[in-house]
Amino acid sequence: MTPRKIRPATALFRAVLTGSALLAGSALLTGCLHDGGRQPAAAPKSSPAPHGYVEGAEETAEPQPRLVLADAGTGAVGVLDLITGDITRLKRTDGVRGLLADGRFAHLRTEGATHTVDTGSWTVDHGDHVHYYRAAIREVGRIVAAGAAHVHSDQAVTAVSPARGAGELFDREGLEGGTVPRGKALPGTDGAAIVPYEQHLLVAPAGAGRDTVEVRDRDGARVATLDEPCAEARGAAVTRRGVVFGCADGALLVSEDKGRFGAEKIAYGEEVSAADRAVDFRHRAGSTTLAARSGDDAVWILDVTDRAWTRIRTGPVVAANTAGEGAPLLALGGDGVLTAYDIATGKRTVRKELLTKGAAPGATPAVIEIDTTRAYVNDAAAEKVYEIDYNDGLRLARTFPLGFAPTYMVETGR
């Protein structure tokens, strides 16, 4: 069936001038300025650090992706290095109920706390060039005394939003140093998604009657509100073109230009029920094409560049993702079959029986993590992770036996 591609008739863009805010905290990078010359050999300690130098980390020529995996039943936690295939086992975390990632750190959510792991793998994108790093894997500790609903970061701060209570802001440098710094509470953010963006914080409120996205400085003070509303905000994703928030009537794209923040609604173009809304956006790091389940039998594709929605009817689906930019949509069915779809036509191109027979993922979360060449799917029943070459007919490239059930899975290092 040909997918329905929906473009709003008019792009609404309202820009709001904000106050200036200085970047809170320092980033890991020493900066991207070239050396101004060499120091004399007699004074090596004063020599400028090489471009991109990060103390304690190795800079590499390519990404160093790692998967963090947690077993909801036993509390086992491990980090799978996708370059070497090695698994680093970490301390058990009983009662894991979710796993979030922000590029470098993984955050394990339990009923009463959120525990943070430094995966030692990350990417720093400067637009015209990129740095890749790898370092030791280590446990940082309990970051908040509540289960996190949202975690978003930039190079300076990490914002943690618990399911109940106000969000907190943490200095990134402290986390990178291996300790949990004192958090800064952000009043008026109960249940809200807080996204650090362009040296500010975007706060998307939750709850009936609250539909205004705020722009705050790093101290938590409100400096602007965006005119374009986002009713019943759920879900957020950071892309190269701005931050996307899921709204009852579509998505809100927030961008910044020379200190001015603007909001543009990308409407569905038709009435969409609450059950069919896009609320959990999945995408490849750096991509502007997002995937989100639509009910139990379809997937939304949001092309942020074209400001367009496409709904692809997949049949029963438990997980979906896409690398964008000409790559297929990957959808995992409740029967454990992985299917690729042409996003432009909505047509199914390849099917592959993947998960252990009789172990469909209905009872446990299924995840598809994706990068520029490979996708990764967890199989909790078989205690394995599968690496899929989605450009080669969904070829099974590698299988990683774990020795524990990967109930939850996130990727870092991209």
Side-chain angles (χ1 to χ4, degrees), residues 11-16 226-229 255 260-265:
L12 300 176
F13 186 90
R14 296 182 174 92
V16 181
L226 302 179
D227 290 340
E228 186 65 43
S255 56
R260 299 176 67 91
F261 286 81
E264 180 180 356
K265 180 62 63 66

Side-chain angles (χ1 to χ4, degrees), residues 42-318:
K45 291 185 179 181
S46 62
S47 298
H51 173 65
Y53 172 78
V54 175
E55 185 176 0
E58 173 191 356
E59 185 167 8
T60 65
E62 60 182 8
Q64 302 294 303
R66 291 171 176 172
L67 295 177
V68 184
L69 309 145
D71 187 331
T74 67
V77 179
V79 180
L80 171 61
D81 189 318
L82 293 172
I83 299 297
T84 66
D86 296 333
I87 299 174
T88 301
R89 296 290 291 265
L90 303 179
K91 183 175 65 177
R92 286 167 51 109
T93 302
D94 293 330
V96 178
R97 294 295 176 264
L99 187 55
L100 303 169
D102 62 8
R104 172 174 177 172
F105 295 90
H107 309 276
L108 296 104
R109 177 173 60 84
T110 67
E111 185 73 20
T114 300
H115 304 269
T116 296
V117 172
D118 183 353
T119 69
S121 176
W122 69 99
T123 295
V124 179
D125 187 348
H126 287 277
D128 59 344
H129 68 284
V130 179
H131 297 278
Y132 305 110
Y133 297 96
R134 64 182 293 127
I137 298 166
R138 58 183 173 180
E139 298 173 65
V140 178
R142 191 180 75 170
I143 190 168
V144 294
H150 311 280
V151 179
H152 296 280
S153 302
D154 63 8
Q155 292 180 31
V157 295
T158 292
V160 181
S161 306
R164 294 181 299 275
E168 292 188 63
L169 205 62
F170 295 87
D171 177 58
R172 186 82 167 181
E173 188 174 27
L175 294 175
E176 292 165 346
T179 61
V180 178
R182 181 183 297 274
K184 179 181 179 60
L186 299 172
T189 61
D190 291 22
I194 305 168
V195 182
Y197 180 63
E198 295 296 339
Q199 304 180 31
H200 289 73
L201 305 173
L202 301 179
V203 180
R210 304 177 64 192
D211 61 2
T212 302
V213 176
E214 300 175 349
V215 181
R216 298 192 184 192
D217 63 23
R218 290 301 172 87
D219 291 325
R222 186 175 63 188
V223 297
T225 57
L226 302 179
D227 290 340
E228 186 65 43
C230 182
E232 303 174 18
R234 292 178 62 193
V238 180
T239 76
R240 289 181 179 273
R241 296 188 179 274
V243 178
V244 173
F245 293 102
C247 313
D249 56 352
L252 189 71
L253 175 62
V254 181
S255 56
E256 181 269 352
D257 183 27
K258 298 179 180 178
R260 299 176 67 91
F261 286 81
E264 180 180 356
K265 180 62 63 66
I266 307 176
Y268 287 124
E270 62 181 42
E271 188 172 345
V272 173
S273 69
D276 289 337
R277 284 179 50 190
V279 297
D280 182 18
F281 296 104
R282 311 285 299 177
H283 66 122
R284 174 181 59 80
S287 172
T288 57
T289 303
L290 313 182
R293 290 170 54 195
S294 177
D296 294 327
D297 61 357
V299 174
W300 283 112
I301 296 295
L302 174 58
D303 187 326
V304 177
T305 301
D306 288 348
R307 312 293 200 268
W309 291 95
T310 302
R311 190 170 188 264
I312 298 178
R313 295 190 179 278
T314 57
V317 60
V318 295

Side-chain angles (χ1 to χ4, degrees), residues 336-388:
V337 174
L338 183 66
T339 305
Y341 295 86
D342 185 306
I343 289 177
T345 65
K347 293 182 178 180
R348 184 178 68 191
T349 57
V350 186
R351 295 177 77 251
K352 184 178 186 63
E353 293 186 6
L354 186 63
L355 298 194
T356 305
K357 189 174 182 180
T364 58
V367 180
I368 300 174
E369 292 286 357
I370 203 162
D371 57 38
T372 54
T373 60
R374 296 289 191 268
Y376 300 90
V377 182
N378 59 327
D379 189 341
E383 300 187 345
K384 297 176 181 178
V385 168
Y386 305 116
E387 181 182 75
I388 304 297

Side-chain angles (χ1 to χ4, degrees), residues 11-27:
L12 300 176
F13 186 90
R14 296 182 174 92
V16 181
L17 181 63
T18 69
S20 61
L22 294 176
L23 180 63
S26 62

